[in-house]
């Protein structure tokens, strides 16, 4: 009786009946590549984990150069389960970026970006960039030695862009050097600006996925594709995936807790062989391998322009792939995707095998 009363009360204010009817009618294609569908839900789950653990850390964290490192020490050593929350937050950030890359490449190789899903691809592309920005801004917050010098390297790379590089570098640092002002600025990006942008983009992305549904790969005959209800069948399988990811997070956090490192000293020399986080490694190593001068151009500047150009092309590929739009196989675009995956993987591995490079 109480349940019916609550349902009636809410249904008069929220279109619950329409939402339930939509959930009953919505179906998901079932085929041999269906497993890749679950990475979208895993990304969403990890983002929620990031928000919840981030709020807990926010209660104790102090974003100043004098006390940031000590506040992280306090969280890890004095707050009950603080070490676990911080480790889950750090591991979840890395797995979120890894899952986002897997989700993007699986969408690309299944050509799920073809019409009318170009906007879904674009919002997903920008969400990946935002998650990378989360990683870059969050890396500095513990104010340890590695984070300090890695931020110097990262902002120097941004500063190498002709014409606007100097302004970008100063804007990111809040001055000419990496200081406490940089820490406060990165903290603001990390807890206010980026979450706000993510919320809007994520809402649009999820809405588009619900409107257009999930795309079956090209080459599978439509009359041979089975379908299953989105609710409860697909959602229950999604929840199994979330449970496995949560188990992995707890396992990594307990047996491989995230280290605090040594407090940053702006007057100390940079450690030998300092490297960025793994998701920036392929760009870092590529720029290292480019000669200082290529014809009349600075090698680093040329490399940065190359990455910007490649990123724009990758973002717009759905609009160039005319064959996929006609439900035909597009081998050329598939080979581009395979090449990008191999390039990122191989260069990243090389980066870890060459200490000090």
């Amino acid at each position: 009786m109480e349940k019916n009363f609550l349902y009636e009360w809410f249904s008069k204010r929220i279109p619950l009946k329409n939402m339930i009817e939509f959930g009953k009618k919505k179906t998901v294609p079932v085929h041999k590549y269906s497993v890749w569908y679950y990475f979208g839900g895993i990304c969403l789950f990890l983002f929620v984990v990031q928000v919840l653990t981030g709020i807990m850390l926010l209660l104790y964290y102090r974003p100043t150069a004098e006390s940031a490192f000590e506040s992280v020490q306090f969280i890890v050593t004095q707050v009950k389960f603080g070490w676990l929350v911080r480790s889950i937050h750090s591991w979840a950030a890395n797995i979120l970026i890894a899952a986002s890359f897997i989700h993007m490449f699986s969408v690309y190789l299944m050509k799920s970006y073809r019409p009318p899903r170009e906007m879904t691809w674009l919002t997903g592309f920008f969400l990946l960039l935002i998650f990378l920005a989360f990683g870059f801004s969050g890396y500095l917050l513990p104010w340890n030695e590695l984070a300090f010098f890695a931020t110097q390297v990262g902002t120097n790379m941004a500063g190498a862009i002709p014409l606007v590089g100097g302004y970008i570098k100063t804007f990111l640092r809040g001055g000419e050097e990496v200081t406490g002002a940089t820490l406060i600025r990165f903290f603001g990006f990390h807890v206010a600006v980026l979450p706000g942008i993510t919320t809007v983009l994520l809402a649009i992305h999820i809405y588009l996925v619900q409107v257009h549904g999930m795309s079956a790969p090209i080459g599978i005959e439509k009359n041979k594709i089975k379908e299953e209800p989105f609710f409860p069948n697909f959602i229950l399988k999604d929840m199994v995936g979330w449970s496995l990811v949560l188990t992995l997070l707890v396992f990594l956090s307990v047996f491989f807790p995230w280290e605090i490192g040594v407090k940053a000293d702006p007057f100390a020399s940079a450690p030998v062989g300092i490297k960025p986080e793994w998701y920036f490694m392929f760009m870092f190593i590529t720029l290292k391998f480019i000669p200082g001068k290529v014809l009349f151009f600075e090698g680093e500047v040329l490399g940065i322009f190359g990455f910007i150009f490649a990123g724009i092309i990758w973002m717009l590929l759905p609009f160039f792939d005319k064959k996929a739009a006609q439900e035909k196989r597009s081998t050329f675009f598939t080979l581009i995707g395979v090449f990008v995956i191999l390039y990122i993987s191989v260069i990243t591995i090389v980066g870890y095998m060459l200490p000090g490079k």
Side-chain angles (χ1 to χ4, degrees):
M1 190 68 180
E2 185 180 352
K3 182 180 178 182
N4 290 336
F5 170 77
L6 290 173
Y7 174 78
E8 292 299 330
W9 191 91
F10 278 107
S11 64
K12 287 178 182 176
R13 290 152 182 87
I14 304 171
L16 287 179
K17 289 180 181 176
N18 294 340
M19 293 167 67
I20 292 171
E21 285 302 314
F22 178 79
K24 286 180 178 177
K25 291 178 182 176
K26 183 177 171 59
T27 57
V28 178
V30 179
H31 47 78
K32 59 182 177 181
Y33 303 115
S34 295
V35 65
W36 300 112
Y37 289 150
Y38 298 105
F39 279 90
I42 287 172
C43 291
L44 178 62
F45 172 74
L46 286 167
F47 178 69
V48 173
V49 170
Q50 285 297 92
V51 172
L52 295 177
T53 52
I55 291 172
M56 293 179 198
L57 294 174
L58 198 57
L59 298 176
Y60 298 96
Y61 179 74
R62 296 193 295 276
T64 65
E66 294 75 24
S67 55
F69 184 81
E70 286 75 9
S71 67
V72 175
Q73 274 187 323
F74 180 79
I75 290 170
V76 173
T77 59
Q78 301 298 319
V79 178
K80 280 189 178 180
F81 299 107
W83 63 273
L84 182 61
V85 172
R86 178 176 180 263
S87 280
I88 288 177
H89 190 76
S90 300
W91 277 113
N94 283 270
I95 298 175
L96 171 59
I97 291 174
S100 298
F101 271 113
I102 294 171
H103 183 47
M104 179 183 70
F105 285 122
S106 63
V107 166
Y108 181 87
L109 293 176
M110 289 198 293
K111 308 296 169 65
S112 300
Y113 52 66
R114 61 191 190 275
R117 298 178 178 83
E118 299 96 323
M119 289 298 295
T120 315
W121 166 267
L122 289 177
T123 52
F125 175 83
F126 284 114
L127 277 171
L128 175 59
L129 294 185
I130 294 292
F131 291 149
L132 291 173
F134 265 117
F136 184 61
S137 58
Y139 193 56
L140 180 65
L141 299 189
W143 198 246
N144 60 32
E145 188 180 55
L146 285 178
F148 179 83
F149 288 106
T151 303
Q152 273 194 342
V153 173
T155 49
N156 277 334
M157 286 169 61
I161 301 173
L163 301 178
V164 297
Y167 295 105
I168 294 174
K169 180 179 169 182
T170 305
F171 173 73
L172 289 174
R173 290 183 172 182
E176 294 299 322
E177 304 294 336
V178 176
T179 62
T182 315
L183 178 64
I184 294 171
R185 189 154 293 201
F186 274 41
F187 178 71
F189 291 146
H190 197 74
V191 305
V193 178
L194 294 176
I197 298 172
T198 305
T199 303
V200 174
L201 278 177
L202 200 56
I204 297 172
H205 190 74
I206 293 173
Y207 172 76
L208 290 172
V209 170
Q210 297 307 313
V211 168
H212 297 306
M214 296 178 186
S215 169
I218 294 173
I220 299 180
E221 294 180 30
K222 290 186 177 178
N223 56 0
K224 291 185 178 179
I225 297 177
K226 297 179 182 177
E227 292 186 332
E228 65 178 356
F230 178 77
F231 182 83
N233 299 44
F234 186 80
I235 285 292
L236 286 175
K237 292 177 182 176
D238 237 354
M239 292 174 70
V240 171
W242 300 347
S243 303
L244 292 174
V245 171
L246 184 60
T247 304
L248 175 64
L249 277 176
V250 173
F251 173 82
L252 291 171
S253 301
V254 170
F255 293 101
F256 303 97
W258 208 261
E259 294 182 359
I260 303 176
V262 179
K263 184 175 180 176
D265 180 1
F267 301 105
S269 301
V272 177
I274 190 166
K275 295 173 182 174
E277 286 288 87
W278 63 269
Y279 36 85
F280 293 124
M281 183 65 84
F282 74 98
M283 289 188 280
F284 179 75
I285 294 299
T286 301
L287 294 177
K288 288 285 182 189
F289 283 161
I290 297 176
K293 277 280 185 183
V294 179
L295 297 177
F296 304 104
F297 305 100
E298 293 286 337
E300 189 179 38
V301 173
L302 199 64
I304 291 171
F305 266 119
F307 279 119
I308 294 173
F309 180 73
I312 293 172
I313 294 296
W314 181 260
M315 178 182 72
L316 298 176
L317 277 179
F319 301 96
F320 301 144
D321 192 354
K322 301 299 181 186
K323 283 191 174 179
Q326 298 169 7
E327 296 292 320
K328 297 177 181 176
R329 294 180 186 276
S330 49
T331 309
F332 174 72
F333 287 89
T334 301
L335 290 175
I336 290 176
V338 172
F339 171 77
V340 172
I341 293 170
L342 287 176
Y343 182 82
I344 293 175
S345 304
V346 170
I347 298 298
T348 300
I349 293 170
V350 168
Y352 282 103
M353 292 177 66
L354 296 175
K357 295 288 182 183

